[in-house]
Coordinates of all heavy atoms in Angstrom, one line a residue:
M1 N -2.5 0.5 -19.7 CA -3.1 1.4 -18.8 C -4.5 0.9 -18.4 O -5.2 0.3 -19.2 CB -3.3 2.8 -19.5 CG -3.9 3.8 -18.6 SD -2.6 5.0 -18.4 CE -3.4 6.1 -17.3
T2 N -4.9 1.1 -17.1 CA -6.2 0.6 -16.6 C -7.3 1.6 -16.9 O -7.1 2.8 -16.7 CB -6.1 0.3 -15.1 OG1 -5.0 -0.6 -14.9 CG2 -7.4 -0.2 -14.6
D3 N -8.4 1.1 -17.4 CA -9.6 2.0 -17.6 C -10.2 2.3 -16.3 O -10.8 1.4 -15.7 CB -10.6 1.3 -18.5 CG -11.8 2.1 -18.8 OD1 -11.9 3.3 -18.3 OD2 -12.8 1.6 -19.3
D4 N -10.0 3.5 -15.8 CA -10.4 3.8 -14.4 C -11.9 3.9 -14.2 O -12.4 3.9 -13.1 CB -9.8 5.1 -13.9 CG -10.1 6.3 -14.7 OD1 -10.9 6.2 -15.6 OD2 -9.6 7.4 -14.3
T5 N -12.7 3.8 -15.3 CA -14.2 3.8 -15.2 C -14.6 2.5 -14.7 O -15.8 2.4 -14.2 CB -14.9 4.1 -16.5 OG1 -14.5 3.2 -17.5 CG2 -14.5 5.5 -17.0
N6 N -13.8 1.4 -14.7 CA -14.1 0.1 -14.3 C -13.5 -0.2 -12.9 O -13.5 -1.4 -12.5 CB -13.8 -1.0 -15.3 CG -14.7 -0.9 -16.5 OD1 -15.8 -0.6 -16.4 ND2 -14.1 -1.1 -17.7
L7 N -12.8 0.8 -12.3 CA -12.2 0.5 -11.0 C -13.2 0.6 -9.9 O -14.1 1.4 -9.9 CB -11.1 1.5 -10.8 CG -9.8 1.4 -11.5 CD1 -8.8 2.5 -11.1 CD2 -9.2 0.0 -11.2
V8 N -13.0 -0.3 -8.9 CA -13.8 -0.2 -7.7 C -12.8 -0.2 -6.5 O -11.8 -0.9 -6.5 CB -14.6 -1.5 -7.5 CG1 -15.4 -1.5 -6.2 CG2 -15.6 -1.7 -8.7
I9 N -13.0 0.8 -5.6 CA -12.1 0.9 -4.4 C -12.9 0.4 -3.2 O -14.0 0.8 -3.0 CB -11.8 2.4 -4.2 CG1 -11.2 3.1 -5.4 CG2 -10.9 2.5 -2.9 CD1 -9.9 2.5 -5.9
R10 N -12.2 -0.6 -2.5 CA -12.8 -1.2 -1.4 C -11.8 -1.4 -0.3 O -10.6 -1.6 -0.6 CB -13.3 -2.6 -1.8 CG -14.5 -2.6 -2.7 CD -15.1 -4.0 -2.8 NE -16.2 -4.0 -3.7 CZ -16.3 -4.5 -4.9 NH1 -15.2 -5.0 -5.4 NH2 -17.4 -4.5 -5.6
P11 N -12.2 -1.6 0.9 CA -11.3 -2.0 2.0 C -10.7 -3.4 1.7 O -11.4 -4.2 1.2 CB -12.1 -2.0 3.3 CG -13.3 -1.1 3.0 CD -13.6 -1.3 1.5
L12 N -9.5 -3.6 2.0 CA -8.8 -4.9 1.8 C -9.6 -5.9 2.7 O -9.9 -5.7 3.8 CB -7.4 -4.8 2.2 CG -6.6 -6.1 2.2 CD1 -6.4 -6.6 0.7 CD2 -5.2 -5.9 2.8
N13 N -9.9 -7.1 2.1 CA -10.4 -8.2 2.8 C -9.8 -9.5 2.4 O -9.0 -9.5 1.5 CB -12.0 -8.2 2.7 CG -12.5 -8.5 1.3 OD1 -12.1 -9.4 0.7 ND2 -13.4 -7.6 0.8
S14 N -10.2 -10.6 3.0 CA -9.6 -11.9 2.8 C -9.9 -12.4 1.4 O -9.3 -13.4 0.9 CB -10.1 -12.9 3.8 OG -11.5 -13.0 3.8
D15 N -10.9 -11.9 0.7 CA -11.2 -12.3 -0.7 C -10.2 -11.8 -1.7 O -10.1 -12.4 -2.8 CB -12.6 -11.8 -1.1 CG -13.7 -12.5 -0.3 OD1 -13.5 -13.6 0.2 OD2 -14.8 -11.9 -0.2
H16 N -9.5 -10.7 -1.4 CA -8.6 -10.1 -2.4 C -7.3 -11.0 -2.4 O -6.8 -11.4 -1.4 CB -8.2 -8.7 -1.9 CG -9.3 -7.8 -2.0 ND1 -9.9 -7.1 -0.9 CD2 -10.1 -7.4 -3.1 CE1 -10.9 -6.4 -1.3 NE2 -11.0 -6.5 -2.6
Y17 N -6.9 -11.2 -3.7 CA -5.7 -12.1 -3.9 C -4.4 -11.3 -3.9 O -3.9 -10.7 -4.9 CB -5.9 -12.8 -5.3 CG -4.7 -13.8 -5.6 CD1 -4.6 -14.9 -4.8 CD2 -3.9 -13.5 -6.6 CE1 -3.5 -15.8 -5.1 CE2 -2.8 -14.4 -6.9 CZ -2.7 -15.5 -6.1 OH -1.6 -16.4 -6.3
R18 N -3.9 -11.2 -2.7 CA -2.7 -10.3 -2.4 C -1.4 -10.8 -3.1 O -0.6 -10.1 -3.6 CB -2.5 -10.1 -0.9 CG -3.6 -9.3 -0.3 CD -3.5 -9.2 1.2 NE -3.7 -10.5 1.8 CZ -2.8 -11.2 2.5 NH1 -1.6 -10.7 2.8 NH2 -3.1 -12.3 3.0
P19 N -1.2 -12.2 -3.1 CA 0.0 -12.7 -3.8 C 0.1 -12.3 -5.3 O 1.2 -12.3 -5.9 CB 0.0 -14.2 -3.6 CG -0.9 -14.4 -2.4 CD -1.9 -13.3 -2.5
G20 N -1.0 -12.0 -5.9 CA -1.0 -11.7 -7.3 C -0.6 -10.2 -7.6 O -0.5 -9.9 -8.8
F21 N -0.5 -9.4 -6.6 CA -0.2 -8.0 -6.9 C 1.3 -7.8 -7.1 O 2.1 -8.2 -6.3 CB -0.6 -7.1 -5.7 CG -0.3 -5.6 -5.9 CD1 -1.1 -4.9 -6.7 CD2 0.9 -5.1 -5.4 CE1 -0.8 -3.5 -6.9 CE2 1.2 -3.7 -5.6 CZ 0.3 -3.0 -6.3
H22 N 1.7 -7.2 -8.2 CA 3.1 -6.9 -8.5 C 3.1 -5.6 -9.3 O 2.7 -5.5 -10.4 CB 3.7 -8.0 -9.4 CG 3.7 -9.4 -8.8 ND1 4.6 -9.7 -7.8 CD2 2.9 -10.4 -8.9 CE1 4.4 -10.9 -7.4 NE2 3.4 -11.4 -8.0
C23 N 3.7 -4.6 -8.6 CA 3.8 -3.3 -9.3 C 5.2 -3.0 -9.7 O 5.5 -2.0 -10.4 CB 3.3 -2.2 -8.4 SG 4.4 -1.9 -7.0
G24 N 6.2 -3.8 -9.4 CA 7.6 -3.6 -9.8 C 8.4 -3.0 -8.7 O 9.6 -2.8 -8.9
V25 N 7.8 -2.5 -7.6 CA 8.6 -1.9 -6.5 C 8.5 -3.0 -5.4 O 7.5 -3.1 -4.7 CB 8.0 -0.6 -6.1 CG1 8.7 0.0 -4.9 CG2 7.9 0.4 -7.2
P26 N 9.6 -3.6 -5.1 CA 9.6 -4.7 -4.1 C 9.0 -4.4 -2.8 O 8.3 -5.2 -2.2 CB 11.1 -5.1 -4.0 CG 11.7 -4.8 -5.3 CD 11.0 -3.5 -5.7
S27 N 9.3 -3.2 -2.2 CA 8.8 -2.8 -0.9 C 7.3 -2.7 -0.9 O 6.6 -3.0 0.1 CB 9.4 -1.6 -0.4 OG 9.2 -0.5 -1.2
L28 N 6.7 -2.2 -2.0 CA 5.3 -2.0 -2.1 C 4.6 -3.4 -2.3 O 3.5 -3.7 -1.8 CB 4.9 -1.1 -3.3 CG 5.4 0.4 -3.1 CD1 5.0 1.2 -4.3 CD2 4.8 1.0 -1.8
D29 N 5.2 -4.2 -3.2 CA 4.7 -5.6 -3.4 C 4.7 -6.4 -2.1 O 3.7 -7.0 -1.7 CB 5.5 -6.4 -4.4 CG 5.4 -5.8 -5.8 OD1 4.5 -5.0 -6.1 OD2 6.3 -6.1 -6.6
N30 N 5.8 -6.3 -1.4 CA 5.9 -7.0 -0.1 C 4.9 -6.6 0.9 O 4.3 -7.4 1.7 CB 7.3 -6.8 0.5 CG 7.6 -7.7 1.7 OD1 7.4 -8.9 1.6 ND2 8.0 -7.0 2.8
Y31 N 4.7 -5.2 1.0 CA 3.7 -4.7 2.0 C 2.3 -5.3 1.7 O 1.7 -5.8 2.7 CB 3.7 -3.2 1.9 CG 2.6 -2.7 2.9 CD1 3.0 -2.6 4.3 CD2 1.4 -2.3 2.5 CE1 2.0 -2.2 5.2 CE2 0.4 -1.9 3.5 CZ 0.7 -1.9 4.8 OH -0.2 -1.5 5.7
I32 N 1.8 -5.2 0.5 CA 0.4 -5.7 0.3 C 0.4 -7.2 0.4 O -0.6 -7.8 0.9 CB -0.1 -5.2 -1.0 CG1 -1.7 -5.4 -1.1 CG2 0.5 -5.9 -2.2 CD1 -2.5 -4.5 -0.2
Q33 N 1.4 -7.9 0.1 CA 1.4 -9.4 0.1 C 1.6 -9.9 1.5 O 1.0 -11.0 1.8 CB 2.5 -9.9 -0.8 CG 2.2 -9.6 -2.3 CD 3.4 -9.9 -3.2 OE1 4.5 -10.4 -2.7 NE2 3.3 -9.6 -4.5
K34 N 2.4 -9.3 2.3 CA 2.7 -9.9 3.6 C 2.4 -9.1 4.9 O 2.2 -9.6 5.9 CB 4.2 -10.1 3.6 CG 4.7 -11.1 2.6 CD 6.2 -11.3 2.6 CE 6.6 -12.2 1.5 NZ 8.0 -12.3 1.3
Q35 N 2.2 -7.8 4.8 CA 2.1 -6.9 5.9 C 0.7 -6.3 6.1 O 0.2 -6.0 7.2 CB 3.2 -5.9 5.9 CG 3.2 -5.0 7.2 CD 3.6 -5.8 8.4 OE1 4.5 -6.7 8.3 NE2 3.0 -5.6 9.5
A36 N 0.1 -6.0 5.0 CA -1.2 -5.2 5.0 C -2.3 -5.8 5.9 O -2.9 -5.1 6.7 CB -1.7 -4.9 3.6
R37 N -2.6 -7.1 5.7 CA -3.6 -7.7 6.5 C -3.3 -7.6 8.0 O -4.2 -7.4 8.8 CB -3.8 -9.1 6.1 CG -4.4 -9.3 4.8 CD -5.9 -9.1 4.7 NE -6.6 -10.1 5.5 CZ -7.8 -9.9 6.1 NH1 -8.4 -8.8 5.9 NH2 -8.3 -10.8 6.8
L38 N -2.0 -7.8 8.4 CA -1.6 -7.7 9.8 C -1.9 -6.3 10.3 O -2.3 -6.1 11.4 CB -0.2 -8.1 10.0 CG 0.2 -9.5 9.7 CD1 1.7 -9.7 9.7 CD2 -0.5 -10.4 10.7
D39 N -1.5 -5.2 9.5 CA -1.7 -3.9 9.9 C -3.2 -3.5 10.1 O -3.6 -2.8 11.1 CB -1.1 -2.9 8.9 CG 0.4 -2.9 9.0 OD1 1.0 -3.5 9.9 OD2 1.0 -2.2 8.1
V40 N -4.0 -4.1 9.2 CA -5.5 -3.9 9.4 C -6.0 -4.6 10.7 O -6.7 -4.0 11.4 CB -6.2 -4.4 8.1 CG1 -7.7 -4.4 8.4 CG2 -5.9 -3.5 6.9
K41 N -5.6 -5.8 10.9 CA -6.0 -6.5 12.0 C -5.6 -5.9 13.3 O -6.3 -5.8 14.3 CB -5.4 -8.0 12.0 CG -5.9 -8.9 13.1 CD -5.3 -10.3 12.9 CE -5.8 -11.2 14.0 NZ -5.2 -12.5 13.8
R42 N -4.4 -5.3 13.4 CA -3.9 -4.6 14.6 C -4.4 -3.2 14.6 O -4.0 -2.4 15.6 CB -2.3 -4.6 14.6 CG -1.8 -6.0 14.8 CD -0.3 -6.0 14.9 NE 0.2 -5.6 13.6 CZ 1.5 -5.4 13.3 NH1 2.4 -5.4 14.2 NH2 1.9 -5.1 12.0
R43 N -5.1 -2.7 13.7 CA -5.7 -1.4 13.6 C -4.6 -0.3 13.5 O -4.7 0.8 14.0 CB -6.6 -1.1 14.7 CG -7.8 -2.0 14.7 CD -8.8 -1.7 15.8 NE -9.9 -2.6 15.7 CZ -11.0 -2.4 16.3 NH1 -11.2 -1.4 17.1 NH2 -12.0 -3.3 16.1
V44 N -3.5 -0.7 12.9 CA -2.4 0.2 12.6 C -2.7 1.1 11.4 O -2.3 2.3 11.4 CB -1.1 -0.5 12.4 CG1 0.1 0.4 12.0 CG2 -0.7 -1.3 13.7
S45 N -3.4 0.5 10.4 CA -3.7 1.3 9.2 C -5.0 0.7 8.6 O -5.4 -0.4 9.0 CB -2.6 1.3 8.2 OG -2.4 0.0 7.7
R46 N -5.6 1.5 7.7 CA -6.7 1.0 6.9 C -6.1 0.9 5.5 O -5.3 1.7 5.0 CB -7.8 2.0 6.8 CG -8.5 2.2 8.1 CD -9.4 1.1 8.5 NE -10.3 0.6 7.5 CZ -11.6 0.9 7.4 NH1 -12.1 1.7 8.2 NH2 -12.3 0.4 6.4
V47 N -6.3 -0.2 4.8 CA -5.8 -0.5 3.5 C -7.0 -0.6 2.5 O -7.9 -1.3 2.8 CB -5.0 -1.8 3.4 CG1 -4.4 -2.0 2.0 CG2 -3.8 -1.7 4.5
F48 N -6.9 0.2 1.4 CA -7.9 0.2 0.4 C -7.3 -0.3 -0.9 O -6.2 0.1 -1.2 CB -8.5 1.6 0.2 CG -9.2 2.0 1.4 CD1 -8.6 2.7 2.4 CD2 -10.6 1.8 1.6 CE1 -9.2 3.1 3.6 CE2 -11.3 2.3 2.7 CZ -10.5 2.9 3.7
V49 N -8.0 -1.2 -1.6 CA -7.5 -1.7 -2.8 C -8.4 -1.3 -4.0 O -9.6 -1.1 -3.9 CB -7.4 -3.3 -2.8 CG1 -6.4 -3.7 -1.7 CG2 -8.7 -3.9 -2.5
A50 N -7.8 -1.2 -5.1 CA -8.5 -1.0 -6.4 C -8.5 -2.3 -7.2 O -7.5 -3.0 -7.3 CB -7.7 0.1 -7.2
T51 N -9.7 -2.6 -7.6 CA -10.0 -3.8 -8.4 C -10.8 -3.5 -9.6 O -11.4 -2.4 -9.6 CB -10.7 -4.9 -7.6 OG1 -12.0 -4.5 -7.2 CG2 -9.9 -5.3 -6.3
M52 N -10.8 -4.3 -10.6 CA -11.6 -4.1 -11.7 C -13.0 -4.8 -11.4 O -13.1 -5.8 -10.8 CB -11.0 -4.8 -13.0 CG -9.6 -4.2 -13.3 SD -9.6 -2.4 -13.6 CE -10.5 -2.4 -15.2
V53 N -14.1 -4.2 -12.0 CA -15.4 -4.7 -11.8 C -15.5 -6.2 -12.1 O -16.1 -7.0 -11.4 CB -16.5 -3.9 -12.6 CG1 -17.8 -4.5 -12.6 CG2 -16.5 -2.5 -12.1
E54 N -14.9 -6.5 -13.3 CA -15.0 -7.9 -13.8 C -14.0 -8.9 -13.1 O -14.1 -10.1 -13.2 CB -14.8 -8.0 -15.3 CG -13.5 -7.4 -15.8 CD -13.5 -5.9 -15.9 OE1 -14.5 -5.2 -15.8 OE2 -12.4 -5.4 -16.3
Q55 N -13.1 -8.4 -12.3 CA -12.1 -9.2 -11.5 C -12.0 -8.6 -10.1 O -11.0 -8.1 -9.7 CB -10.8 -9.2 -12.2 CG -10.8 -9.9 -13.5 CD -9.4 -9.9 -14.1 OE1 -8.7 -8.9 -14.1 NE2 -9.0 -11.0 -14.7
P56 N -13.1 -8.8 -9.3 CA -13.1 -8.2 -8.0 C -12.1 -8.7 -6.9 O -11.9 -8.0 -5.9 CB -14.5 -8.4 -7.5 CG -15.0 -9.7 -8.2 CD -14.3 -9.6 -9.6
T57 N -11.4 -9.8 -7.2 CA -10.4 -10.3 -6.2 C -9.0 -9.9 -6.6 O -8.1 -10.1 -5.9 CB -10.5 -11.8 -6.0 OG1 -10.3 -12.4 -7.2 CG2 -11.9 -12.2 -5.5
S58 N -8.8 -9.5 -7.9 CA -7.5 -9.1 -8.4 C -7.1 -7.7 -8.1 O -7.8 -6.8 -8.6 CB -7.4 -9.4 -9.9 OG -6.2 -9.2 -10.4
I59 N -6.1 -7.4 -7.3 CA -5.7 -6.1 -6.9 C -4.9 -5.4 -8.0 O -3.9 -6.0 -8.4 CB -4.9 -6.1 -5.6 CG1 -5.8 -6.7 -4.5 CG2 -4.4 -4.7 -5.2 CD1 -5.0 -7.0 -3.2
V60 N -5.3 -4.2 -8.5 CA -4.5 -3.5 -9.5 C -3.8 -2.3 -8.8 O -3.0 -1.7 -9.5 CB -5.4 -3.1 -10.7 CG1 -5.9 -4.3 -11.4 CG2 -6.5 -2.1 -10.2
G61 N -4.2 -1.9 -7.6 CA -3.5 -0.8 -6.9 C -4.0 -0.8 -5.5 O -5.0 -1.4 -5.1
Y62 N -3.3 0.0 -4.6 CA -3.8 0.1 -3.3 C -3.3 1.4 -2.6 O -2.3 2.0 -3.2 CB -3.4 -1.1 -2.4 CG -1.9 -1.2 -2.0 CD1 -1.5 -0.6 -0.8 CD2 -1.0 -1.8 -2.9 CE1 -0.1 -0.7 -0.5 CE2 0.3 -1.9 -2.5 CZ 0.7 -1.3 -1.3 OH 2.1 -1.4 -1.0
Y63 N -3.9 1.8 -1.5 CA -3.4 2.9 -0.7 C -3.7 2.6 0.7 O -4.5 1.8 1.0 CB -3.9 4.3 -1.2 CG -5.4 4.5 -1.0 CD1 -5.8 5.2 0.2 CD2 -6.3 4.2 -1.9 CE1 -7.2 5.4 0.4 CE2 -7.6 4.4 -1.7 CZ -8.1 5.0 -0.6 OH -9.4 5.3 -0.4
T64 N -3.0 3.2 1.6 CA -3.2 3.0 3.0 C -3.4 4.4 3.7 O -2.9 5.4 3.3 CB -2.0 2.3 3.7 OG1 -0.8 3.2 3.6 CG2 -1.7 1.0 3.0
L65 N -4.1 4.3 4.8 CA -4.3 5.5 5.7 C -3.9 5.0 7.1 O -4.2 3.9 7.5 CB -5.8 5.9 5.7 CG -6.4 6.4 4.4 CD1 -7.8 6.7 4.6 CD2 -5.6 7.6 3.9
S66 N -3.2 5.9 7.8 CA -2.7 5.6 9.1 C -2.7 6.9 10.0 O -2.4 7.9 9.5 CB -1.3 5.0 9.1 OG -0.8 4.7 10.4
T67 N -2.9 6.7 11.3 CA -2.8 7.8 12.2 C -1.4 7.9 12.8 O -1.1 8.8 13.5 CB -3.8 7.7 13.3 OG1 -3.6 6.5 14.0 CG2 -5.2 7.8 12.8
L68 N -0.6 6.9 12.5 CA 0.8 6.9 12.9 C 1.6 7.9 12.2 O 1.4 8.2 11.0 CB 1.5 5.6 12.8 CG 0.8 4.4 13.6 CD1 1.5 3.1 13.2 CD2 0.9 4.7 15.0
S69 N 2.6 8.5 12.8 CA 3.5 9.4 12.1 C 4.9 9.2 12.7 O 5.1 8.7 13.7 CB 3.1 10.9 12.3 OG 3.1 11.2 13.7
I70 N 5.9 9.7 11.9 CA 7.3 9.7 12.3 C 7.8 11.1 12.2 O 7.6 11.8 11.2 CB 8.1 8.8 11.3 CG1 7.6 7.4 11.4 CG2 9.6 8.8 11.7 CD1 8.2 6.4 10.3
E71 N 8.4 11.6 13.3 CA 9.0 12.9 13.3 C 10.1 12.9 12.3 O 10.9 12.0 12.3 CB 9.4 13.3 14.7 CG 8.3 13.5 15.7 CD 7.5 14.7 15.4 OE1 8.1 15.7 14.9 OE2 6.3 14.7 15.8
L72 N 10.2 13.9 11.5 CA 11.3 14.0 10.6 C 12.7 13.9 11.2 O 13.6 13.2 10.7 CB 11.2 15.4 9.8 CG 11.9 15.5 8.5 CD1 11.4 14.5 7.5 CD2 11.6 16.9 7.9
G73 N 12.9 14.4 12.4 CA 14.1 14.4 13.1 C 14.5 13.0 13.6 O 15.6 12.7 13.9
Q74 N 13.5 12.0 13.6 CA 13.8 10.7 14.0 C 14.4 9.8 12.9 O 14.9 8.7 13.2 CB 12.5 10.0 14.5 CG 12.0 10.6 15.8 CD 10.7 10.0 16.2 OE1 9.8 9.8 15.4 NE2 10.6 9.7 17.5
L75 N 14.3 10.3 11.7 CA 14.8 9.5 10.5 C 16.3 9.8 10.4 O 16.7 10.9 10.5 CB 14.0 9.9 9.3 CG 12.5 9.5 9.2 CD1 11.9 10.1 8.0 CD2 12.3 8.0 9.3
P76 N 17.0 8.7 9.9 CA 18.4 9.0 9.6 C 18.6 10.0 8.5 O 17.8 9.9 7.5 CB 19.0 7.6 9.2 CG 17.9 6.6 9.5 CD 16.6 7.4 9.7
K77 N 19.5 10.9 8.6 CA 19.7 11.9 7.6 C 19.9 11.3 6.2 O 19.5 11.8 5.2 CB 20.8 12.8 8.0 CG 20.5 13.6 9.2 CD 21.0 15.0 9.1 CE 20.8 15.8 10.3 NZ 19.4 16.2 10.6
T78 N 20.6 10.1 6.1 CA 20.9 9.5 4.8 C 19.6 9.1 4.1 O 19.5 8.9 2.9 CB 21.8 8.3 5.0 OG1 21.2 7.4 5.9 CG2 23.2 8.8 5.4
S79 N 18.5 8.8 4.9 CA 17.3 8.4 4.3 C 16.4 9.5 3.8 O 15.4 9.3 3.2 CB 16.5 7.5 5.2 OG 16.0 8.2 6.3
L80 N 16.7 10.7 4.2 CA 15.9 11.9 3.9 C 16.2 12.6 2.6 O 15.3 13.1 2.0 CB 16.0 12.9 5.1 CG 15.5 12.4 6.4 CD1 15.7 13.5 7.5 CD2 14.0 12.1 6.4
V81 N 17.5 12.7 2.3 CA 17.9 13.6 1.2 C 18.5 12.7 0.1 O 19.3 11.9 0.3 CB 18.9 14.6 1.7 CG1 19.3 15.5 0.6 CG2 18.3 15.4 2.8
N82 N 18.0 13.0 -1.1 CA 18.6 12.2 -2.3 C 19.8 13.0 -2.8 O 20.2 14.0 -2.3 CB 17.5 11.9 -3.3 CG 16.9 13.2 -3.9 OD1 17.6 14.3 -3.9 ND2 15.7 13.1 -4.4
S83 N 20.3 12.5 -3.9 CA 21.5 13.1 -4.5 C 21.3 14.5 -5.0 O 22.2 15.2 -5.2 CB 22.0 12.2 -5.7 OG 21.0 12.1 -6.7
R84 N 20.0 14.9 -5.2 CA 19.8 16.3 -5.7 C 19.6 17.2 -4.5 O 19.3 18.4 -4.7 CB 18.5 16.3 -6.6 CG 18.7 15.5 -7.9 CD 17.5 15.6 -8.7 NE 16.3 15.1 -8.0 CZ 15.7 14.0 -8.3 NH1 16.1 13.3 -9.3 NH2 14.7 13.6 -7.6
G85 N 19.6 16.7 -3.3 CA 19.4 17.5 -2.1 C 18.0 17.8 -1.7 O 17.7 18.6 -0.9
T86 N 17.1 17.0 -2.3 CA 15.7 17.1 -2.0 C 15.2 15.9 -1.2 O 15.9 14.9 -1.2 CB 14.8 17.3 -3.2 OG1 15.0 16.1 -4.1 CG2 15.2 18.5 -4.0
L87 N 14.0 16.0 -0.6 CA 13.5 14.8 0.2 C 13.3 13.6 -0.7 O 12.9 13.8 -1.9 CB 12.2 15.2 0.8 CG 12.3 16.1 2.1 CD1 10.9 16.4 2.6 CD2 13.1 15.4 3.1
S88 N 13.7 12.5 -0.2 CA 13.6 11.2 -1.0 C 12.1 10.9 -1.3 O 11.2 11.2 -0.5 CB 14.2 10.1 -0.2 OG 14.0 8.9 -0.8
Q89 N 11.9 10.3 -2.4 CA 10.6 9.9 -2.8 C 10.3 8.4 -2.6 O 9.4 7.8 -3.0 CB 10.3 10.2 -4.3 CG 10.4 11.7 -4.6 CD 9.3 12.4 -3.9 OE1 8.1 12.1 -4.0 NE2 9.7 13.5 -3.2
Q90 N 11.3 7.7 -1.9 CA 11.2 6.3 -1.7 C 10.0 6.0 -0.7 O 9.9 6.7 0.3 CB 12.5 5.7 -1.1 CG 13.6 5.8 -2.1 CD 13.4 4.7 -3.2 OE1 12.3 4.5 -3.7 NE2 14.5 4.1 -3.6
P91 N 9.2 5.0 -1.0 CA 8.1 4.6 -0.1 C 8.7 4.1 1.2 O 9.7 3.5 1.3 CB 7.4 3.6 -0.8 CG 8.4 3.0 -1.8 CD 9.3 4.1 -2.1
C92 N 8.0 4.4 2.3 CA 8.4 3.8 3.6 C 7.1 3.5 4.4 O 6.1 4.1 4.1 CB 9.3 4.7 4.4 SG 8.5 6.3 4.9
S93 N 7.2 2.6 5.3 CA 6.1 2.2 6.1 C 6.3 2.6 7.5 O 7.5 2.4 8.0 CB 5.8 0.7 6.0 OG 4.9 0.3 6.9
A94 N 5.4 3.1 8.2 CA 5.5 3.4 9.7 C 5.4 2.2 10.5 O 5.7 2.2 11.7 CB 4.5 4.4 10.1
G95 N 4.9 1.1 10.0 CA 4.6 -0.2 10.7 C 5.8 -1.1 10.8 O 6.8 -1.1 10.3

C-alpha cells in the first residue's frame, strides 16, 4: 500500500515515466503508456498522475478529466449490463 502522505498529484508531462506504470488492468496500462499524452496534446482530456515525493517521475496512479461524453443509448447493450444485470464497471475511454 502506498503512503498517501507522500503522494504528489501533477498534470502528466514528458518527465513522467509512462512505460513503468503497471496496475494489472491492460486497458488502463495501455492508456497511460500509449494514449494519454496524445489526448493531452489534442486537448481531448487532462491527465493527472500521482507520484511519490522521492520518485517524481515514477507514476503510481492517474486519473483523467474530459468534457467528452457518450450517450448511454449509443453504447452496445452487451457492453452496458453485466451478468448481475447492473451497469458494467469495466473502464472505457471516450477517445
Side-chain angles (χ1 to χ4, degrees):
M1 181 116 186
T2 302
D3 177 8
D4 62 2
T5 60
N6 289 324
L7 283 179
V8 178
I9 307 296
R10 293 190 176 106
L12 177 67
N13 66 50
S14 59
D15 294 335
H16 294 116
Y17 184 64
R18 292 175 293 117
F21 180 81
H22 299 284
C23 70
V25 179
S27 61
L28 297 176
D29 293 343
N30 186 56
Y31 179 79
I32 194 69
Q33 292 167 4
K34 299 177 182 174
Q35 187 66 40
R37 292 279 299 150
L38 294 171
D39 285 354
V40 170
K41 185 177 180 178
R42 291 183 292 172
R43 297 182 180 195
V44 173
S45 67
R46 295 286 313 260
V47 180
F48 296 87
V49 297
T51 63
M52 301 301 291
V53 171
E54 58 278 354
Q55 294 180 316
T57 62
S58 181
I59 300 170
V60 297
Y62 74 92
Y63 67 94
T64 64
L65 298 175
S66 177
T67 59
L68 298 176
S69 64
I70 299 172
E71 294 288 330
L72 200 55
Q74 293 177 316
L75 295 173
K77 296 221 183 282
T78 56
S79 69
L80 297 177
V81 180
N82 63 25
S83 61
R84 294 183 303 251
T86 59
L87 286 178
S88 175
Q89 298 296 309
Q90 292 289 39
C92 66
S93 173

